[in-house]
Amino acid sequence: MSEVLLKGQKAKNASLSLVGVTTEEKNQALLKIADGLLMAKSVIIEENEKDLQAGRDRGLSESILDRIMLNEKRIEDMASAIQLLVELRDPIGDNLETIKKENGLHIKKNRVPIGVVGMIYEARPNVTVDAATLSLKTGNAVILRGSSSAYYSNKALVQTIHGALSETNLPVDSVQLIEDTSRETAKELFTLNDYLDVLIPRGGKNLIDTVVRESTVPVLETGAGNCHVFIDETAEYKMAERIVVNGKTQRPSVCNAIETVLIHEKWFHQYGIELLQVLNSRGVEIYGDELVVQVFREAKRATEEDWATEYLALKVSVRIVSDVQEAIKHINTYGTNHSEAIVTEKVENANLFMMKVDAAAVYHNASTRFTDGFEFGYGAEIGISTQKLHARGPMGLEALTSSKYFVYGKGQVRE
Amino acid sequence: MSEVLLKGQKAKNASLSLVGVTTEEKNQALLKIADGLLMAKSVIIEENEKDLQAGRDRGLSESILDRIMLNEKRIEDMASAIQLLVELRDPIGDNLETIKKENGLHIKKNRVPIGVVGMIYEARPNVTVDAATLSLKTGNAVILRGSSSAYYSNKALVQTIHGALSETNLPVDSVQLIEDTSRETAKELFTLNDYLDVLIPRGGKNLIDTVVRESTVPVLETGAGNCHVFIDETAEYKMAERIVVNGKTQRPSVCNAIETVLIHEKWFHQYGIELLQVLNSRGVEIYGDELVVQVFREAKRATEEDWATEYLALKVSVRIVSDVQEAIKHINTYGTNHSEAIVTEKVENANLFMMKVDAAAVYHNASTRFTDGFEFGYGAEIGISTQKLHARGPMGLEALTSSKYFVYGKGQVRE
């Protein structure tokens, strides 16, 4: 039997045992994991060093090596995040609906775990701990399929988690790592419908697209963010500048950073050069439409491809539009339904924009960088969903739950 | 451009126009459709007759012909169902969550339409009207891909709907029928991710499995129901008989009918023969395990395959188990996560069963036949979801909605 199939079966069994485990039991297990990570710090760092060495040998970029790297501080941060997770309210068991029928039937719709969560992700070993602990908090078993570039780190982390779980009532198989990181094991997970209830990809666009395309297991699509700010005719200059600079430069590599600025032509005539100069002075490369390159010589000409590109870098495309309708149309054509902002003093335009733009989160006079489970106050984040089913936008613990109808009768049958 | 691609684009545009349409506008359009159907009765029946004739020529079974058949009564029932739908509360715009941040950001999570719904279904032309009107009520555009066996009926129904919509503010393209019913158009819908937000298959297991396997568009899986009743040691005889007879014989062709009866060995020794005789006298063929065939000569021996079969007919498999644990294990092995019942006087056993059995709806002392959007009081039903994401169990209007975060600021940026 293949590793994936075997671990799938074990996960399914573990998930059935996890049903009915109490919040206290889950929290105690989480605290044991936090303690275990702190105690195993040096071993984890040693194993992580093997990944870093292998990465350097393969010539991985500094930014990817940084994503793989674990040090004392980062392991301590993992432990602290788990302690915060323990404090969060357990959504399992919540009553979502109660129906009393005339025939005496009593129906309760309650929140239950999803079952088995599959996680496919790239470099970052912190996702290993995140996914494992968020799944446990919600009573799910999890199968982790990390990247070869974090092989030793992931193994050390999961061994630590297993050590901790073995001292609790929770099955050790609740958390399992697929150690074979070949393409084949990913493919096997895509069609493991008998054992997996959901598959969550975390990583770049290629990974996500592949999972969406090839998986027959239901997918929670996260991530890709080609986000826009539209600066309307009446936007206050300083506010617009602040929101654009924040969206573009505060952390360009993340999905809620902005990639295109759409500017009302009248505003552009008055303030455009100033804004472009500010961006330029902060090291942002500008790809503009015809009007932009005419008036701002440092700008390069944007191609059709630029409008659809998530740069994830200090680059921005800029297009001049004649009104809010044109901005909405541009966003609904090129956007990825993530986070979209309008800066305007005209409330009607803000309302129209927010209603008509098709995105998980729409902003009036605020930075798109706020689309985040922690910023929204959920205390945890599985990812940011850009699909419309099950969960949309930042996903907290509830995104890892399902529901179940409990029907209580006295012998009722249907007429 | 292919029919599917063209209609996909039109649906997407229609869905953007549907955003912000008021409940009253939607309800008026629905009433126009109901009137239109009543007025077009004779045309629809004429067109339907063409399908019936073609079906008879192809040798379709009486039961399939009955599913295709439309008469005055059935068209009037469609119109009445639409009038009831108008009365239902519109969930669009509901506020699901309000978050006020210390920095003054004001976040609202509101219910919005999904966008474009794709429906792939078999024979029944009533699904055409159902899917169109439920989608409109929730502000969604819909693309309908029915079966060739209802080609003329579906076309007549959609023409009627178009006639009604043309007299309203709603775009006529909100409802579109794919007229080419070849396999290719279904395949095109499976990967129409740019224009479809969800695909809902309605029909037999083969159709559903194909859609789940081949679609890259998110799927709402409905339907397959291999449902069980477990009769525990302490079950009252009359109650158990009533629930089993109702589950098996009241309407054997539907997904919430039961397919297997699991019986506690002690109960079986006392009441088993009587129950089997009652079933037998009602024309139910019995496929039993070794013990059953030993004591009841009319029973045939069940094979491994029987436990996994959704008969959808007057057939039942019967297995004797030693306790509730064994019943739970059997159901979690062979069930399809639809509806599962226990008959028992022992509350602990009921609770254990309901907690551990993995199904959309679990019943204590009631018939599984109640798993139904109308029985649960939702007033509408898109289908019964057997998956765990987005919706589980009977799906009412809310299953056709998504959510969106509206964030209101005064220039806030992320630190």
Side-chain angles (χ1 to χ4, degrees), chain A residues 259-262 285 287-288 302 306-307 311 315-319:
Chain A
E259 312 295 355
T260 298
V261 181
L262 302 168
E285 280 179 50
Y287 295 81
D306 280 295
W307 310 124
Y311 295 118
K315 297 179 181 179
V316 72
S317 53
V318 180
R319 180 172 215 165

Side-chain angles (χ1 to χ4, degrees), chain B residues 199-214:
Chain B
L199 198 51
I200 307 177
R202 288 281 298 269
K205 188 169 162 28
N206 278 345
L207 172 71
I208 294 167
D209 286 351
T210 304
V211 175
V212 167
R213 199 173 53 242
E214 299 194 15

Side-chain angles (χ1 to χ4, degrees), chain A residues 292-310:
Chain A
V292 170
V293 294
Q294 271 173 21
V295 302
F296 193 69
R297 76 166 72 184
E298 289 87 348
K300 296 181 188 110
R301 184 75 171 85
T303 63
E304 179 69 14
E305 210 190 322
D306 280 295
W307 310 124
T309 298
E310 189 183 4

Side-chain angles (χ1 to χ4, degrees), chain A residues 5 20 37 269 275 277 353 377:
Chain A
L5 199 59
L37 289 171
H269 287 307
L275 178 69
Q277 274 167 347
F353 179 93

Side-chain angles (χ1 to χ4, degrees), chain A residues 101 246 357 365 375 404 411, chain B residues 101 357 365 375 404 411 414:
Chain A
K101 296 279 297 171
N246 187 254
V357 159
N365 291 348
E375 289 294 328
K404 185 173 175 177
Chain B
K101 297 280 297 171
V357 160
N365 292 347
E375 289 293 329
K404 184 173 176 178
R414 191 156 163 193

Side-chain angles (χ1 to χ4, degrees), chain A residues 228-243:
Chain A
H228 303 70
V229 170
F230 167 54
I231 304 177
D232 195 14
E233 186 180 354
T234 59
E236 274 185 21
Y237 175 74
K238 271 293 166 196
M239 188 191 285
E241 180 194 301
R242 200 159 68 235
I243 287 171

Side-chain angles (χ1 to χ4, degrees), chain A residues 197-352:
Chain A
D197 294 297
V198 61
L199 197 51
I200 307 177
R202 288 282 297 271
K205 188 168 162 28
N206 277 346
L207 172 71
I208 293 167
D209 286 351
T210 304
V211 174
V212 168
R213 198 172 54 243
E214 299 193 14
S215 177
T216 57
V217 174
V219 172
L220 276 182
E221 190 176 346
T222 65
N226 183 19
C227 305
H228 303 70
V229 170
F230 167 54
I231 304 177
D232 195 14
E233 186 180 354
T234 59
E236 274 185 21
Y237 175 74
K238 271 293 166 196
M239 188 191 285
E241 180 194 301
R242 200 159 68 235
I243 287 171
V244 168
V245 167
N246 187 254
K248 186 65 259 179
T249 68
Q250 194 236 2
R251 206 171 160 203
S253 65
V254 294
C255 58
N256 55 21
I258 61 167
E259 312 295 355
T260 298
V261 181
L262 302 168
I263 306 179
H264 192 287
E265 54 190 4
K266 292 199 183 143
W267 194 93
F268 184 71
H269 287 307
Q270 199 171 350
Y271 304 111
I273 306 278
E274 190 177 345
L275 178 69
L276 296 177
Q277 274 167 347
V278 168
L279 286 169
N280 200 46
S281 73
R282 292 182 169 247
V284 179
E285 280 179 50
I286 292 162
Y287 295 81
D289 68 3
E290 210 176 319
L291 194 59
V292 170
V293 294
Q294 271 173 21
V295 302
F296 193 69
R297 76 166 72 184
E298 289 87 348
K300 296 181 188 110
R301 184 75 171 85
T303 63
E304 179 69 14
E305 210 190 322
D306 280 295
W307 310 124
T309 298
E310 189 183 4
Y311 295 118
L312 299 172
L314 284 176
K315 297 179 181 179
V316 72
S317 53
V318 180
R319 180 172 215 165
I320 310 311
V321 296
S322 55
D323 59 15
V324 62
Q325 294 283 7
E326 197 183 332
I328 292 167
K329 199 170 172 197
H330 178 99
I331 294 170
N332 284 341
T333 305
Y334 297 103
T336 53
N337 311 315
H338 194 295
S339 299
E340 307 292 351
I342 180 173
V343 187
T344 188
E345 292 302 303
K346 208 165 166 183
V347 175
E348 311 92 273
N349 284 6
N351 288 342
L352 184 71

